[in-house]
Amino acid sequence: SEVIVLIPDKPGELGRLFGEIGDIGVNIEDFQLEHSFGQSVGRAMVSVVPSQAGHLARSLEQRGWQVIIEGEEKQMGVVIALDGPSGSGKSTVSRRVATKLGLAYLDTGAMYRAAAWWCDHQGIDLDDQAAVAAATVQMPLQMPLDPENQTIECGGVDITQAIRASELSKVVSKVATNLEVRAELKRRQRQIIAAATQGIVAEGRDITTVVAPDADVRVLLTASEEARLARRALEVRGSADAAAIAATRDEVVRRDADDSTVSQFMTAQDGVTTVDSSSLSIDDVVDAVISLIPEDMR
């Protein structure tokens, strides 16, 4: 089988492709490269044994490559959209589902956090909506699609940990409620989802309703406020005691209230399945989401 990989016209991209195919552990039987002068993207045709084509395509896509399996150009893998408030478990569940099914994974909430970090890094006042929107359009963000390797880079800087800091959590809503910022990031998100031909799990606030309303599976993951606060406190502060929960309350409750002014993620819209994770284990929620995938797409 032939796996077609689109290669950006940038130094070192072909070497990176070979290196990542080696990391994936797939043997190449034949290789051809097509690239016309003046085009920004080339096509690498990688021939592998048929049983390895799907694995190679999914693995490369998770690493950010745009991939097509020859003969399946018009086919699209399953798209799973998952929304929910802070602490509902949507990120953990989405990563587990993506890992279990070999799908790409997109954390759209991290994109808003990255925009807040980028504006602060550029010395832009987050209350200056026009300046924030303009900076977001220019933001050089590299979003990972591998659920098991979520290293996020912006302008060549690893910001994976920085965007999770409590100080940033307190101000990210200023960016997330900026309608021009939302328009730009939604555009990028739709582009990423459309390019994920091997399938993707995308999670956030308005993925089921605005970004990917035609997704094959649409889920609103909810949980009680008590459960959400405890989870987020444990994640951010390493404890779910009273002091940790009190310190976390503003980050969760206020941010949800702020974000709900521009996004509907507290009540399921038509065609969206609600899953309440308050008393369920992560494995139970993962199984519930997977059970919603149409039989012919599993």
Side-chain angles (χ1 to χ4, degrees):
S1 293
E2 201 162 76
V3 176
I4 302 168
V5 186
L6 302 187
I7 305 180
D9 186 15
K10 298 178 182 177
E13 289 296 284
L14 186 59
R16 183 167 73 89
L17 174 61
F18 276 119
E20 295 194 347
I21 291 175
D23 290 342
I24 294 166
V26 171
N27 293 322
I28 299 176
E29 295 190 326
D30 192 19
F31 180 88
Q32 296 182 51
L33 181 65
E34 289 182 356
H35 193 279
S36 300
F37 180 74
Q39 289 187 337
S40 60
V41 176
R43 287 161 54 97
M45 280 69 74
V46 184
S47 296
V48 297
V49 297
S51 61
Q52 292 186 320
H55 170 60
L56 176 61
R58 286 191 297 272
S59 298
L60 286 174
E61 200 163 77
Q62 288 178 344
R63 293 165 181 245
W65 296 95
Q66 190 170 347
V67 184
I68 302 167
I69 297 178
E70 187 179 40
E72 300 182 7
E73 289 85 350
K74 295 184 179 180
Q75 296 183 17
M76 181 74 184
V78 65
V79 176
I80 301 174
L82 202 153
D83 287 332
S86 301
S88 59
K90 61 183 181 293
S91 295
T92 301
V93 168
S94 296
R95 286 196 302 270
R96 293 271 189 95
V97 170
T99 298
K100 194 168 186 177
L101 300 181
L103 304 176
Y105 162 70
L106 177 62
D107 179 355
T108 65
M111 297 176 72
Y112 288 97
R113 289 174 172 270
W117 178 90
W118 174 249
C119 290
D120 180 68
H121 185 67
Q122 297 292 304
I124 296 171
D125 183 350
L126 296 185
D127 290 317
D128 186 341
Q129 294 200 341
V132 168
T136 300
V137 170
Q138 300 298 323
M139 175 175 59
L141 177 64
Q142 296 293 321
M143 283 301 297
L145 299 181
D146 183 346
E148 297 186 283
N149 180 16
Q150 283 291 293
T151 300
I152 301 171
E153 293 188 359
C154 190
V157 179
D158 182 344
I159 63 171
T160 310
Q161 298 301 319
I163 64 172
R164 302 297 175 184
S166 293
E167 293 75 13
L168 190 139
S169 295
K170 294 174 182 176
V171 299
V172 67
S173 284
K174 292 184 178 182
V175 172
T177 55
N178 184 317
L179 296 182
E180 290 186 52
V181 168
R182 296 191 74 80
E184 166 61 16
L185 294 187
K186 286 172 189 174
R187 182 193 66 77
R188 296 193 190 196
Q189 291 156 15
R190 291 189 185 107
Q191 190 175 53
I192 292 170
I193 292 170
T197 55
Q198 304 305 307
I200 190 169
V201 181
E203 56 100 346
R205 300 289 208 193
D206 51 8
I207 312 306
T208 62
T209 55
V210 179
V211 176
D214 297 324
D216 303 293
V217 176
R218 296 189 294 155
V219 176
L220 176 68
L221 186 59
T222 64
S224 66
E225 184 176 298
E226 293 77 11
R228 294 191 293 114
L229 283 170
R231 289 170 183 168
R232 184 52 59 86
L234 190 61
E235 175 190 353
V236 176
R237 295 180 168 82
S239 172
D241 61 21
I245 288 176
T248 307
R249 180 174 295 276
D250 178 72
E251 297 172 19
V252 173
V253 178
R254 180 198 50 76
R255 186 184 168 204
D256 283 344
D258 288 348
D259 289 358
S260 66
T261 63
V262 293
S263 176
Q264 296 296 321
F265 58 88
M266 301 299 285
T267 304
Q269 304 300 300
D270 290 345
V272 179
T273 301
T274 299
V275 176
D276 189 328
S277 67
S278 301
S279 58
L280 298 177
S281 70
I282 293 297
D283 288 340
D284 288 338
V285 180
V286 168
D287 290 343
V289 172
I290 292 176
S291 73
L292 297 172
I293 300 174
E295 289 287 347
D296 60 345
M297 302 195 77
R298 295 189 189 183

